[in-house]
Structures are given as C-alpha cells and as structure tokens.
Amino acid sequence: MKIVKIALISVAVFAAAHTTAQQAPADIASLYAQAQTDGLSMGGFVAKMTELKTCNPKLAEQVIDYALEQAGNDPVLVEEVLKAVNNQCIDQDTLTTLAIAANIDPTLITNALQTAAAAGPAPAAPAIAATPGGVGAGGGTGTGDTTLASGS
C-alpha cells in the first residue's frame, strides 16, 4: 500500500510540475504583453524582470528564455535582450547557456556580452568640488579661474 501511495504522489508531483512548466511561457507572454502596454520594449521588459531588488532567478531565466525565443536570430533584438540582463540576478555563464539553448549564434552572444561588459554600470554623477579661487572657496577673485601659476 505504501508503494502505491508513493507512486501516486510521484505522479501527482510530476503532473503538477509538467502543468506548471507548460503554463510558464503563457504567463511570461502575458507579463510581456502587460509590459508592452506600459510602453516597455523587449529589452526594457528583461531589465525590469531581472532587476536586483525584485530578482527571482528562476523567473528571470524563464523571462530571458522567452525573450531570446521571441528575438530569434534578429541580432539587434538578441543584443538588446542580452545587454538588458542584470548580471547580479543572472550571471553571464547562465545567460550564455540560455542563449546557446535558444540556438543563438555564439558569435552574436559573445559580441553582445562583451559590449554589455564594456559599457559596465551607468556612470555615477561626477562629484562637484569647490574650485580654488571660486565663489565660496574661502576667498580669492571669485572668477572660478583654476589655472595655477605653475601652468598645471
């Protein structure tokens, strides 16, 4: 009797997992449809779904998989998707694996990931420091002229 119960539970778990796997793409598609309604591009959708604050790696992988499937071999769209992924949510190895599984040209994958890595995170705003001789810098002419007597 125990074996029968275990077998039934196993079948139920398998069926539930199989049903969930079949529904996931439809759920991702509806999430993307909503994102389009909100004015997001495919890259914007991927960026939103892999944002660090809300990162769910399993969901992020499904989103990336869906996005790459939609992109097909459109190099511009594939590059947009790959560049949009927050690598703190999904690492580059996993991203590369997902892209290869989606039959994306490996050269395209490499180029997009290198471009994204070279771009790096958005630059921080430069710090504003008082200039010698500038207004509020403790005196001087107030002209803001930063030329030093040494010519440096």
Side-chain angles (χ1 to χ4, degrees), residues 103-129:
N103 294 320
I104 305 298
D105 177 11
T107 305
L108 183 59
I109 298 167
T110 302
N111 290 341
L113 294 178
Q114 285 176 345
T115 303
I128 300 174

Side-chain angles (χ1 to χ4, degrees), residues 8 14 22 24 35 46 48 61 73 81-82 85-86 112 115 128 133 137:
L8 288 175
F14 174 77
Q22 287 179 342
V46 170
K48 180 180 177 183
E61 286 181 22
N73 274 324
V81 168
L82 294 176
V85 175
N86 182 328
T115 303
I128 300 174

Side-chain angles (χ1 to χ4, degrees), residues 20-106:
T20 302
Q22 287 179 342
Q23 291 174 348
D27 293 340
I28 302 297
S30 59
L31 288 172
Y32 177 57
Q34 179 60 47
Q36 284 181 309
T37 302
D38 295 342
L40 290 177
S41 65
M42 181 65 79
F45 170 64
V46 170
K48 180 180 177 183
M49 297 303 290
T50 63
E51 185 179 29
L52 187 57
K53 293 183 290 189
T54 58
C55 179
N56 173 337
K58 295 275 188 211
L59 178 61
E61 286 181 22
Q62 290 177 339
V63 166
I64 294 164
D65 192 40
Y66 173 81
L68 289 173
E69 181 181 309
Q70 297 303 305
N73 274 324
D74 178 345
V76 173
L77 193 52
V78 168
E79 187 173 356
E80 178 185 345
V81 168
L82 294 176
K83 285 180 176 180
V85 175
N86 182 328
N87 289 125
Q88 292 177 343
C89 180
I90 298 294
D91 63 72
Q92 282 201 349
D93 290 340
T94 302
L95 185 56
T96 301
T97 301
L98 290 170
I100 290 170
N103 294 320
I104 305 298
D105 177 11

Side-chain angles (χ1 to χ4, degrees), residues 133-136 139-145:
V135 177
T141 63
T143 65
D145 184 8

